[in-house]
Every structure is written in structure tokens, then in C-alpha cells.
Amino acid sequence: MQVVIADSAAEVGRIAAAKVASVIRHRPEAVLGLATGSSPLAIYADLADRVRSGRLRVDAVRAFALDEYVGLPLEHPESYHSVIRTVVTEPVGLTPELVNVPDGSAADLDAAADAYERAIRDAGGVDVQILGIGANGHIGFNEPTSSFASRTRIKTLAPQTRADNARFFASPDEVPTHCVTQGLGTILDARQLVLVATGASKADAVHAMVEGPLSSMCPGSALQLHPHAMVVVDEAAAARLELADYYRYTHANRPAWQRFEDEELS
Ligand code: F6R
């Protein structure tokens, strides 16, 4: 796992966006995996800047969101269909027809989840998956004790996740209790993973994900199984990392051929 400790939340977004932009530059029809929530907003803002300034073209980019609430109408402002459109598709300028979000309103949710898995496979798989992490270690909405082999399916949101996401709703009771989420097995199939985390509330989860044992109690620890996982955190989210100095050292001494950022950040 490549761990990068950045000076600020903005820098976290810039470094992760540089990685994503580098994938798109090498493959204009790349398939992106999209996370929602606060953590990746800086990535999307940075990608939007690159597109606006003509440094990046995204017309052919395809995308699959990680998850969707069950029971929220698609047009609800907090459905991930709406959120992905307003924070990613429109500002970055993705082609709307090429952006997919799981269907949380389907009459047959199991069939819709299977169809989503097929659609990802038919697209050739995800080239780079953007991820955040919950304070309880979830990625996507794979809550603690999710199977490392899980595929897209219905999950019950943990009470902590509902409480954390209540900030987006008028009242905590309005946060749905269920979601459809890509599984940990689905996420691990992506060719590259880029996870971002900022703030002190993520420090325990980041420590468990990077340095804790491989355990379904911290679903993020599944990243330890992936050969191309990059974790970008700010100082506050890095506060509990035991090997923080080693990660700084390895980042400062990365050989030139691994330093995509130099090319992309300039
Ligand atoms: C949502 C998702 C979640 C979030 C996580 C962190 O699509 O994938 O795993 O990344 O809940 O959310 P924020 O970034 O709002 O703290």
C-alpha cells in the first residue's frame, strides 16, 4: 500500500486527482469508480479545474458509483443519483449517459444489483476506484463484518453511518436504513484504488485500515489485499499511524518512474 501524508485537505485532493487524471490521460475511455460523501469533493473540484483549463479531456470517460440509498426517490437531492450528477458529472463535464449509479428504487433489488455487477464487467472493469472511509472503517457502504468476497448487494447501514450522514438530511430519521453497495470483492477487482481521508475523526479507521490486522471488523483493511492501493491522508487523519515517518520517507524518496505527480501537478 502506498501511503501519502499531505499537508492539507486541499493537497490530499490534488494528489488523488493527479493520480486519477494520469489514468485518464493514458486511457481516455477509462472507467472510474466514484465515491460520494465529503472526502472526494476536493478530487472532483480539482478534476473540474483540469477540464476547464484544457489540461484534461473526459468526454469518453465512463463511471460507476459505489452505492445508492434504498427508498429515496431518484430526484431526492440526497439520492446518490442526484449527488453524483451535481458534484461529479456536471462540474467535471462527464458524459451523463456514461455515468452509472446503482438502482436503489428497483422493484427487484437483487436483480438490479446483479445487473450492476454485469454492467461493470461489460465495461471491462474499473480502472481506478476513488474511495473514502467511514469512521467505523467502512468503504462503499460495506459496514464492519462485510465479507471480503462480497459483491454488489443490499446492506443495512450501521447506526453510526446513519448518524454521520444525518448532516445531509433535515432530520436523522430521514436517513435511509438500507443501501445498495458494491461489495468488497467488487472494489478489489478495480485495477487501482485511491482512498482519501481527512480530519481527526478518521484517524482510528486509517490506522486500522493501513496497519491493523486484515479483518472484516475494518472493511477498509481489504485494501491490504490489493497490489495497487494508494491512501492519501492529511496530518490529522494520519495522527495514529505508527509508521508515519516511514511513509514520509518512502514518499520523499520515490523513484522518478513512480512519480506521476510530478507530471500531473506541474
Ligand atoms: C459513499 C462511500 C462512503 C464514504 C464514507 C466517508 O459513496 O463510499 O464509504 O466514502 O462514508 O464519508 P465522508 O467522506 O463524507 O466522511
Side-chain angles (χ1 to χ4, degrees):
M1 198 183 296
Q2 181 189 355
V3 181
V4 182
I5 302 173
D7 291 342
S8 65
E11 190 62 8
V12 168
R14 229 157 64 90
I15 292 170
K19 177 77 179 171
V20 175
S22 145
V23 171
I24 298 172
R25 200 154 292 163
H26 288 105
R27 185 165 190 242
E29 69 285 10
V31 178
L32 302 190
L34 304 174
T36 49
S38 306
S39 307
L41 292 177
I43 303 179
Y44 302 138
D46 189 281
L47 290 175
D49 264 2
R50 289 164 185 271
V51 171
R52 255 196 311 275
S53 62
R55 286 177 291 153
L56 186 68
R57 293 201 56 161
V58 294
D59 330 37
V61 166
R62 296 163 292 160
F64 288 87
L66 277 172
D67 36 30
E68 175 60 290
Y69 292 117
V70 169
L72 276 193
L74 294 190
E75 62 279 7
H76 188 289
E78 294 306 329
S79 80
Y80 285 169
H81 275 79
S82 298
V83 172
I84 289 284
R85 188 179 64 251
T86 54
V87 308
V88 192
T89 310
E90 290 176 355
V92 176
L94 298 181
T95 304
E97 296 72 32
L98 301 181
V99 179
N100 303 273
V101 180
D103 187 351
S105 309
D108 185 340
L109 287 168
D110 287 336
D114 289 348
Y116 201 66
E117 284 279 328
R118 272 197 305 281
I120 295 173
R121 255 198 317 275
D122 291 348
V126 170
D127 289 301
V128 57
Q129 175 66 57
I130 296 167
L131 295 164
I133 186 165
N136 66 359
H138 72 221
I139 56 172
F141 277 138
N142 294 283
E143 301 286 21
T145 71
S146 289
S147 161
F148 284 165
S150 52
R151 312 301 307 187
T152 303
R153 69 212 183 291
I154 308 165
K155 281 293 286 182
T156 308
L157 293 171
Q160 180 177 357
T161 303
R162 291 188 69 228
D164 287 348
N165 286 6
R167 69 191 192 278
F168 297 115
F169 292 82
S171 90
D173 294 344
E174 281 181 33
V175 185
T177 51
H178 291 81
C179 64
V180 175
T181 181
Q182 287 188 31
L184 293 174
T186 319
I187 292 169
L188 289 175
D189 281 349
R191 283 181 270 279
Q192 302 201 56
L193 306 178
V194 180
L195 185 146
V196 287
T198 58
S201 66
K202 300 294 174 69
D204 286 336
V206 166
H207 167 58
M209 165 178 65
V210 175
E211 297 176 333
L214 187 63
S215 165
S216 66
M217 286 298 281
C218 177
S221 68
L223 266 67
Q224 296 176 24
L225 295 169
H226 199 284
H228 302 292
M230 180 183 186
V231 171
V232 193
V233 294
D234 68 357
E235 293 286 348
R240 289 216 48 224
L241 288 175
E242 288 167 24
L243 299 186
D245 286 344
Y246 171 67
Y247 308 136
R248 290 193 186 91
Y249 171 83
T250 52
H251 187 60
N253 290 289
R254 283 185 85 69
W257 55 269
Q258 283 185 325
R259 298 191 68 102
F260 67 87
E261 304 102 294
D262 290 348
E263 170 200 346
E264 297 293 340
L265 290 176
S266 58

